[in-house]
Every structure is written in structure tokens, then in C-alpha cells.
Amino acid sequence: MNKEIFRTEKGKDCILRFYNNMLEQFPLVEHFFIETKYGTTFIVSAGEEKNPPLLLLHGSGSNSLAWMGDMEKLSQSYRVYSLDIPGEPGKSEAVRFDTKGDTFSLWLDEVINRLALDKPLLGGLSLGGWAVIRYALTYPEKTAGVIALAPTGIVKPKISFLIKTIFYSIQGEKGIRKLLSIMFDGAPVPEEVVQFQVLLTRHFRYRMDNPALFTDRELKNLKVPLTYVCGEKDYIFDAKKAVGRLEAANPDITTALLENGHALTNISSHIPKVQNGTNTELSTQ
């Protein structure tokens, strides 16, 4: 199974060694594994257990490090659980779920049940954003609300996205730096992010499928508060088109269109929106 995700065992070890070294820089978080029928799931957690639960899912080609910059602030008010999605470059099972079925929701539901969480608030980025919306559609009675940062499943990716990704990825570290600069909309990219992406390009096989778009009926019938956040300069999705579709399908969905690219992680600033239903046309992080 690992050979389908990681190109070699040596490459896998390089990625996980980097991951472990980065986690050591965040001593306030806890790490643990839980077993599910879909394999082992690795979880990074922080905050007092008496706090309301907040569960986070990263994007494709990533892991729980995506949330570390926000973890300290979030853990002051929430018991935060950041999950490594199976089949991605983290420490969970190296089995990639098919987005066409219900495995993502079944896996997430089992994790929530094993953690004994009562209606957690869900947050997700990109693929993780799609996954938490899908879960909320399947299990609305178990979901307090959803914050989806640049999720897939709202509008189709831009054709230029794939072309740019392939073009820059084959140029080595120089190309990766250029691609990350586009994703971060020219903002400074942490060197650790660059080096991790270099490792992934060498040793990891990225997911190639895209989840199907949510139907208008699904969006209209969504029964939990949803805040959709996307950068106006997102190079993967047409953010304005996505906002227009969501607002037409369900006026109760809160939207926030930012002056950013695709690399959004500051989820803490959007929690009040999903709790209070505040609509924001343009803001900054």
C-alpha cells in the first residue's frame, strides 16, 4: 500500500523524519494514534478537554503541520484535533480513499465516535474542506458547524491550475518556489514549507482525482451553519464564481472572499462567522 503513495520506503522515511522534526517545534501539542476499520489515524491535539471540540482536516499533499500556526490560538478556546488524512504525506494509514464513495464520511464519523466528541465544529482546507462539508451533509445531527477554506467541490478547478502545477513541478526547487509564491499570492513562504514541498515532489505521489461538485440540491438542503472562505487570487478555483454559486443555492451560507491566494490556514478569524452567520464580501487575514 505504501508504494502506491510513497515512491520508495526511503523517500517515505525522509518525509516522516521531516514531519517529526517539525512537530518537535510545537511542544504544547499532543500526538497519538487511534485505530479504525480504515486503518490507523494520527492525531495532533491541543487545548483543555473541557473546551468545545474543533476538528480540522488539511488539504491534499499535506498533513497536520498545515494548522500548527493557528493551533496555539485555537487551543485557548477549543479542544483541537487535527487529523492526518489517510493516503496523504502524514502518519495515518497509507490508503487513499475514493472521493466518489462515502468512505471519507464513514472514516471521519468513526474517528469522532472513538474520540467521543459531541457535535464538533469542523474545519477543513481544500480537500479537507470538501470532506467536512460532505460529512455535514451526511451527519448534520453530529455537526455543530463547518468552516471550509478554499474547498474543492464548489466549482471546477481552473484548467490553468494543472498546467502551471506540472510546468513548475518539473523545474526542481526553483519551480517549486515559484509555484508556492503563486499559492501564497506573493507573500513570504516559510522555508520549511519549501523544503517539505521539495521532499513531496521527489518522494510522494499526489492524489490526481477531484471530488465531484456538490449538487445545488445538496447545498440548498444543508442543515448546519457553513462558512465558505476563499482567496480572490486563488489559482486553483474561481473564487467569485464559487461565492456566486453558493449564495444562489443557499442564502444562509456565509461567504468570505479574501485578498489572498489558495494558501489559507487562519481559520480562527472565521469561527465567529460560522457561529453568528455573519456574511463578509471582502476581508483580509
Side-chain angles (χ1 to χ4, degrees), residues 14-168:
C14 289
I15 290 172
L16 294 184
R17 185 163 55 249
F18 182 94
Y19 187 14
N20 288 330
N21 289 339
M22 289 300 300
L23 284 175
E24 289 179 0
Q25 299 182 29
F26 300 93
L28 297 180
V29 301
E30 306 167 31
H31 321 145
F32 57 93
F33 294 89
I34 63 172
E35 295 299 328
T36 76
K37 67 178 65 175
Y38 305 97
T40 302
T41 296
F42 180 70
I43 300 174
V44 179
S45 186
E48 297 185 21
E49 293 190 6
K50 67 179 182 180
N51 290 343
L54 169 62
L55 191 148
L56 301 174
L57 292 183
H58 57 80
S60 178
S62 186
N63 54 39
S64 290
L65 290 176
W67 305 108
M68 289 301 100
D70 224 14
M71 188 71 82
E72 182 176 359
K73 183 175 182 179
L74 290 170
S75 64
Q76 294 173 11
S77 301
Y78 292 87
R79 174 64 173 176
V80 187
Y81 300 89
S82 176
L83 279 55
D84 279 1
I85 297 175
E88 298 299 333
K91 300 173 74 172
S92 291
E93 200 78 24
V95 175
R96 187 160 286 163
F97 299 154
D98 186 350
T99 58
K100 295 181 176 63
D102 55 3
T103 309
F104 260 98
S105 293
L106 292 172
W107 161 73
L108 187 53
D109 190 54
E110 184 172 349
V111 171
I112 289 173
N113 290 337
R114 288 187 176 275
L115 292 173
L117 304 184
D118 182 22
K119 294 190 69 170
L121 179 64
L122 305 179
L125 170 65
S126 198
L127 174 66
W130 168 85
V132 294
I133 295 174
R134 174 56 63 197
Y135 182 84
L137 287 166
T138 307
Y139 299 101
E141 74 283 358
K142 295 184 176 183
T143 310
V146 171
I147 306 169
L149 307 181
T152 56
I154 309 301
V155 293
K156 292 182 179 180
K158 299 175 182 177
I159 296 177
S160 59
F161 150 65
L162 182 60
I163 297 173
K164 288 180 180 179
T165 300
I166 295 174
F167 176 75
Y168 289 117

